[in-house]
Amino acid sequence: MIYVTRPHLPDRARLDSYLDRVYGSNQLTNNGPLLRELTERLENYLGVTNLLLVANGTIALQLALRLLKIEGRVITTPFSFPATTSAIIWQGAQPVFADIDAETFNVDPAEVAAGLEEPAGGMLVTHVYGNPCDVDALDQLAKKANVPLIYDAAQAFGVRGATSVLLHGDISILSLHATKIFHTLEGGALVIRDDALFEEAERMINFGFGDGGEILGVGINGKMNEFEAAMGLAMLDEIQYIQEGLKRVYSIYEENLPESLLRPRWHSGYSRSHSYCPVLFDSESTLLRVQARLHEHEIYPRRYFRPSLDTVDVYGHPGNCEVSQDIVNRILCLPQYAALEDQQVLEICGLIHSVTD
Ligand code: T4K
């Protein structure tokens, strides 16, 4: 079976050497030594400061919204994972969907500007497939409207231009879930621009406790544990191998997929994470035929993202994002992970050709 992704498991002896340290210290969680070491190494690797490791990417989004005291209308994208919208609603705010650009699949700044014509509490937008949004335009819009801006960079680990993409906006969040290029089993992170807000976030994920154990704010338990940090350290030791593998697989797709299949227009000036291989078909019926052909061969691509989040009834705020509603019906993410063999990628390309040619 070939799934859309396959989590990387680092060398067992390497992981064990980190786990031995946990067994030696008996410190299993609560800001332990491995967590502190991983935080420092990730800050260096990503080129950021004020990075806070947490339990998962979803709680990172919820914390970001809470830290920035975002209420009321939140301008957001309909083309993302459900966590992006549900975090807004969970915080008691109201998602207002701005449609996406038909070429990048990221939120369209002109649509965001339209959403900001009425008073808004903030913006939460996604770097879809790790492809940076039009960050310059969005940063400007947030500044002009004087609202906080959160980037859901769950899929954008390691993406950088002149600097890390995570340095845009007030807060960027990462998912470090098992299916991501770099993972800690479950996990997430916030990168917080403001120092005072970062200190508040450190307290917030630990029940609101200050250094002396006094309760300084309403907190929650959002901590990452030492086993997860051990996995992160072992993963980081192998990140170059993972990235090279993803790049190899992606380039085989690029050379061998039908030219008629559209790919997102990637933001020039930024590195590519190669974590996802989305392809856009001319119609949903072609997509369904390709999917069925791949399933016959036990190959399971995924329809990331679907549905368009502005159409989800339980979110209670249906929108009318025509571009997103069209794209979700035609986009398919092909299997993409470092351990995929050249021959397997070529087989997938051949099966797609057999339907589209
Ligand atoms: N914002 C965005 C833009 C996101 O993409 C995500 C997460 C979030 C926020 C929230 O972050 P977290 O709270 O999750 O940290 C997967 C991931 O679970 C999810 O983290 C990720 N985005 C999303 C894009 O993909 P599903 O529902 O597709 O997961 P699942 O279990 O169907 O896994 C996909 C395939 O991976 C499976 O078909 C088989 C393979 N797999 C998966 C797991 C977990 C394995 O082989 N082994 C495994 O252990 O969401």
Side-chain angles (χ1 to χ4, degrees):
M1 305 244 201
I2 297 180
Y3 295 109
V4 66
T5 189
R6 177 174 160 172
H8 178 77
L9 283 169
D11 176 70
R12 184 61 192 272
R14 191 192 302 277
L15 177 62
D16 280 350
S17 72
Y18 288 112
L19 291 176
D20 285 347
R21 287 173 48 193
V22 185
Y23 274 70
S25 72
N26 216 37
Q27 175 92 30
L28 306 188
T29 185
N30 290 9
N31 202 23
L34 275 77
L35 182 100
R36 295 198 301 273
E37 184 178 330
L38 179 61
T39 302
E40 194 181 326
R41 281 186 59 190
L42 279 174
E43 286 187 337
N44 288 335
Y45 178 79
L46 296 169
V48 301
T49 53
N50 290 350
L51 180 140
L52 186 67
L53 288 165
V54 294
N56 57 63
T58 303
I59 202 162
L61 284 169
Q62 290 166 358
L63 287 160
L65 288 156
R66 180 134 189 146
L67 283 160
L68 293 164
K69 300 185 172 54
I70 292 180
E71 294 174 340
R73 299 170 69 251
V74 179
I75 316 301
T76 190
T77 176
F79 192 66
S80 188
F81 198 62
T84 315
T85 304
S86 61
I88 295 170
I89 298 170
W90 203 270
Q91 174 64 12
Q94 176 195 346
V96 174
F97 295 101
D99 209 346
I100 58 170
D101 179 277
E103 292 184 359
T104 64
F105 312 147
N106 280 323
V107 77
D108 180 344
E111 298 289 329
V112 173
L116 288 170
E117 279 169 13
E118 285 175 45
M123 293 158 57
L124 168 51
V125 295
T126 301
H127 300 307
V128 175
Y129 310 128
N131 184 23
C133 296
D134 186 344
V135 282
D136 293 337
L138 293 169
D139 290 355
Q140 278 297 324
L141 282 170
K143 206 167 159 192
K144 195 169 152 212
N146 196 23
V147 295
L149 170 56
I150 300 168
Y151 283 108
D152 180 340
Q155 305 186 335
F157 182 90
V159 174
R160 54 180 302 128
T163 58
S164 168
V165 74
L166 304 172
L167 294 175
H168 286 278
D170 296 284
I171 297 179
S172 289
I173 74 92
L174 287 168
S175 165
L176 308 180
H177 181 261
T179 53
K180 297 291 188 286
I181 174 172
F182 169 82
H183 74 82
T184 55
L185 303 170
E186 290 275 1
L190 297 95
V191 174
I192 301 174
R193 180 183 289 239
D194 182 78
D195 292 340
L197 210 57
F198 176 72
E199 285 171 22
E200 191 182 337
E202 286 184 301
R203 293 193 293 270
M204 194 178 270
I205 65 165
N206 188 29
F207 314 103
F209 285 135
D211 288 342
E214 65 282 33
I215 300 168
L216 296 179
V218 178
I220 195 166
N221 182 356
K223 291 168 281 146
M224 176 180 283
N225 65 55
E226 288 289 275
F227 268 54
E228 289 170 331
M231 177 59 88
L233 287 164
M235 285 289 297
L236 204 51
D237 289 339
E238 298 180 13
I239 191 71
Q240 199 179 340
Y241 160 82
I242 300 168
Q243 279 168 335
E244 282 166 8
L246 288 170
K247 198 171 172 191
R248 171 185 56 79
V249 171
Y250 197 90
S251 60
I252 301 173
Y253 275 129
E254 275 196 320
E255 279 164 30
N256 294 283
L257 281 172
E259 278 180 19
S260 59
L261 295 191
L262 294 179
R263 256 58 68 65
R265 180 163 53 76
W266 299 99
H267 197 317
S268 61
Y270 280 88
S271 62
R272 304 249 293 264
S273 86
H274 300 113
S275 298
Y276 295 85
C277 185
V279 289
L280 187 68
F281 293 91
D282 58 352
S283 67
E284 185 172 29
S285 70
T286 312
L287 178 150
L288 293 173
R289 281 188 292 127
V290 166
Q291 188 175 247
R293 178 66 50 86
L294 293 173
H295 283 184
E296 283 166 19
H297 293 258
E298 299 192 316
I299 297 166
Y300 298 97
R302 280 292 280 270
R303 298 181 75 175
Y304 292 136
F305 298 107
R306 189 168 177 269
S308 184
L309 297 171
D310 62 314
T311 64
V312 176
D313 284 346
V314 292
Y315 292 158
H317 305 281
N320 189 23
C321 298
E322 289 176 9
V323 180
S324 176
Q325 289 175 22
D326 169 46
I327 301 283
V328 296
N329 288 330
R330 296 192 287 126
I331 198 133
L332 193 63
C333 281
L334 302 177
Q336 169 69 359
Y337 49 88
L340 209 55
E341 291 164 16
D342 293 10
Q343 205 46 47
Q344 293 173 311
V345 188
L346 289 171
E347 183 193 357
I348 294 167
C349 294
L351 290 167
I352 295 174
H353 272 286
S354 73
V355 174
T356 61
D357 290 356

